[in-house]
Amino acid sequence: MKKKNPSNREDDREKTNGPKSMVNKRKKNMKRLGGAAGLSLEAFVNAKSNTSSSFSNPALIKKQREFYKNAKYVSKFKKKLKQQHQPNELHSDAENENREGSKMMNKNKRSKNSLKELYEKRREEEEKARIEREAILKAKKEERERSESRRKAAREKMFKKTRHGQPVMKYRIEHLLQLVQGSNGNSTDKNL
């Protein structure tokens, strides 16, 4: 087994924290700070108070991008709306417009009626479905209440005690008998 000399450890430390590594760190810090003198006090204050420094903040950059993106979408939407509302110059005859207008009105009336009918049908179906769901929930709730009351009555019987504090066996034996008869009834049904 080799023993390490404490002098070897000191040599290792000098290699990592030696004068060369310190010089490298100093150079890197100077580069990062922007020169030998770093920032002057005036430059530092101006950089902090200037609004152009907000461009270096990633959160603000993201907000501005999102804002301009949304503005672009809004302007496109407005242009499309403008184009839709401008009358077509191809059909300048008044008669053609009247004919097309009457046709469109008939189509609109038909579509409105059909839309109303569709809406009413859908509404009725939803109402029927809601009533059915409510009926099912009500039946489940009643069944739950009945079974709960049965369990409560059986529990009371099972916990009855005699004058001396012993459990009453009558109800326990009846319960076991019902279980055996129920299991026999199920097994005979399966065999048939």
Side-chain angles (χ1 to χ4, degrees), residues 29-150:
N29 280 340
M30 296 297 260
K31 262 188 190 177
R32 189 172 50 85
L33 291 173
L39 285 177
S40 67
L41 187 59
E42 290 177 28
F44 178 75
V45 169
N46 288 339
K48 280 295 198 180
S49 63
N50 198 356
T51 57
S52 65
S53 67
S54 67
F55 289 110
S56 62
N57 186 349
L60 292 176
I61 291 171
K62 188 176 179 184
K63 274 187 180 179
Q64 287 173 345
R65 274 189 198 152
E66 192 173 330
F67 174 77
Y68 288 122
K69 198 179 201 181
N70 288 341
K72 188 169 68 172
Y73 288 141
V74 167
S75 64
K76 282 184 180 179
F77 176 73
K78 286 182 179 179
K79 283 181 185 176
K80 284 186 179 182
L81 278 179
K82 240 184 199 181
Q83 287 174 358
Q84 286 177 355
H85 289 297
Q86 287 179 348
N88 287 340
E89 296 172 4
L90 298 175
H91 302 288
S92 60
D93 296 338
E95 294 174 8
N96 288 340
E97 289 178 8
N98 288 338
R99 288 179 192 165
E100 288 177 8
S102 63
K103 287 180 184 176
M104 291 296 286
M105 287 185 66
N106 288 338
K107 285 182 183 178
N108 285 340
K109 284 182 183 178
R110 288 180 197 156
S111 65
K112 284 181 183 178
N113 289 338
S114 63
L115 286 175
K116 274 188 179 180
E117 290 171 4
L118 284 173
Y119 173 75
E120 289 173 1
K121 284 181 184 177
R122 185 176 291 161
R123 186 78 172 177
E124 288 174 8
E125 289 173 1
E126 289 174 357
E127 187 68 23
K128 286 179 185 177
R130 186 184 62 80
I131 290 171
E132 288 176 10
R133 281 194 305 266
E134 287 178 357
I136 291 169
L137 287 174
K138 189 176 181 183
K140 283 183 180 179
K141 188 177 180 182
E142 289 174 357
E143 180 61 33
R144 196 179 309 127
E145 287 174 356
R146 272 190 249 118
S147 62
E148 207 172 294
S149 63
R150 261 188 271 125

Side-chain angles (χ1 to χ4, degrees), residues 11-26:
D11 291 338
D12 292 339
R13 285 185 199 149
E14 284 178 349
K15 287 179 186 174
T16 56
N17 295 332
K20 286 185 181 178
S21 66
M22 291 298 283
V23 170
N24 285 340
K25 283 184 183 178
R26 196 172 287 148

